[in-house]
Amino acid sequence: MTTGASTPRALPAEYPEPLWAQARAALRTRIESGEVKPGSRLPPERELCRMLAISRVTLRKALTALVEEGALRPAHGRGWYVTTPERGDWPNTLESFSETARRMGLAATSRVLRSELGPSTLDEAEAFQIAPGTPVYRLDRVRMLDDVPIAVDESLLPAGVAEGFDDADFTTGSLYDILTGLGHRLAQADTTIEARPADAGLAGHLDIASGTPVLEMRQIVRDPAQRPLLSSTIRYAGDRYRLRTSFARGTGA
Amino acid sequence: MTTGASTPRALPAEYPEPLWAQARAALRTRIESGEVKPGSRLPPERELCRMLAISRVTLRKALTALVEEGALRPAHGRGWYVTTPERGDWPNTLESFSETARRMGLAATSRVLRSELGPSTLDEAEAFQIAPGTPVYRLDRVRMLDDVPIAVDESLLPAGVAEGFDDADFTTGSLYDILTGLGHRLAQADTTIEARPADAGLAGHLDIASGTPVLEMRQIVRDPAQRPLLSSTIRYAGDRYRLRTSFARGTGA
DNA sequence: AAGTGGTCTAGACCACCCC
DNA sequence: GGGTGGTCTAGACCACTTA
């Protein structure tokens, strides 16, 4: 451990995941397994360094990453503390439908309305920066909690991104999980949110009256190279769902 | 520059702002002044180190911070690029009312409905973790764009936070700007968003019909020590406003 | 005063991009 | 191959917290 990155170690090479990411994973596991209880203090940095056999700079990069995930919180002269689950979750991300379901102890399922490849319209082609008519994958679903319809999700993906969807189970699976499982990396999500009245079609799917307030969220998700991976419009029945998020401004670090 | 943090430098001491924050400020200035144009490449890291007279680790901390602010984007073998303003803004923050106004070239103003100190209710006291009845400051405003009413903002602050509000101008000023101007540091904002029908009072203020869809956003803003600074509920006329944000997942770094 | 996080440095090797 | 970012180390000093 003297000569910089020349020692990948631990992982059997191949994808030499950075040391700090390995350390982050190790710490995350310990936290999630309950080995270190919420609210309790982590061992001092210098000791963690010895335990994980990494330098302090690298360890701190892992710890900082966990802060952004909402798992840890530093306290200057006192130590690193495990966040109480109650609050401090969902930093800089919208709570996903699946996460909401889990938090409330409900079952998240979907009814697939459409799932097919088809030519893109002008607007869609522009959004994905592809030629109009290029095939895109359409996935329309009614999302439910304990069999109560909550929202209608219309998603659109470039055909290339949707390769491997044949085996996917959209009735229970999360689209995000499926995409990351296929090796896609979601880096950024541009989002707009507004309130609108439900039109007749939407009202029918959600079993509400036409004109009822609906929360409409449009997202374009991009990969680290800024390529659009997914464009989705989700319309939630106004009295059945609430978006939650927590914006952290990282006071610097 | 050989012996670690023993050389605060640059700033006349007192509050020795960290070197990486100074470097971030210097780079930010250069970008905002247009000295380095959007889309263009920054000088190589090793040269920036010489120019700013800091180590590469420190420089990279500054660069990473600017990535989270949406000002820069790294490209592995190619360099650091200034983000095109068009997109890449508003990362991990809701676009504020004032920012929206600026982007659309409209004038953001407010009509103050209430601005006074009063005893807190049970719910409010609980939210702020203070004793019920402890004074809190109430600020209710109708927010307008070019004199069209867009939203009703009901804000609530612990009395201590509101000290110095006497001189503040809420008809044109942003509450966030006023708070930061008073030295408060906003670190985290827990947010929920939902769609609801307008009640009679709200409909009157916004000049819309009762029952019209309204976007309701509730926020609790905290300082770095997790103390609540501000609790606000903003209700936007559904057909006049749209929230925008961009969630960045920093692929690790 | 001792313990713990926060900042900083100099130097090294690796991985990617482009010529 | 040469340039550029990405990762990593060892060691040092400072600032805050607690006793």
Side-chain angles (χ1 to χ4, degrees), chain A residues 154-169:
Chain A
E154 299 177 5
S155 292
L156 210 66
L157 306 90
V161 175
E163 279 173 20
F165 269 23
D166 309 315
D167 312 332
D169 173 17

Side-chain angles (χ1 to χ4, degrees), chain A residues 86-127:
Chain A
E86 157 214 342
R87 256 217 51 274
D89 283 16
W90 28 275
N92 293 340
T93 324
L94 279 171
E95 186 178 74
S96 79
F97 198 76
S98 317
E99 286 165 348
T100 305
R102 197 176 318 128
R103 181 169 53 79
M104 301 177 67
L106 304 173
T109 57
S110 299
R111 186 156 55 83
V112 176
L113 302 175
R114 176 155 68 164
S115 169
E116 63 190 21
L117 219 51
S120 53
T121 67
L122 272 174
D123 285 348
E124 295 161 2
E126 186 171 11

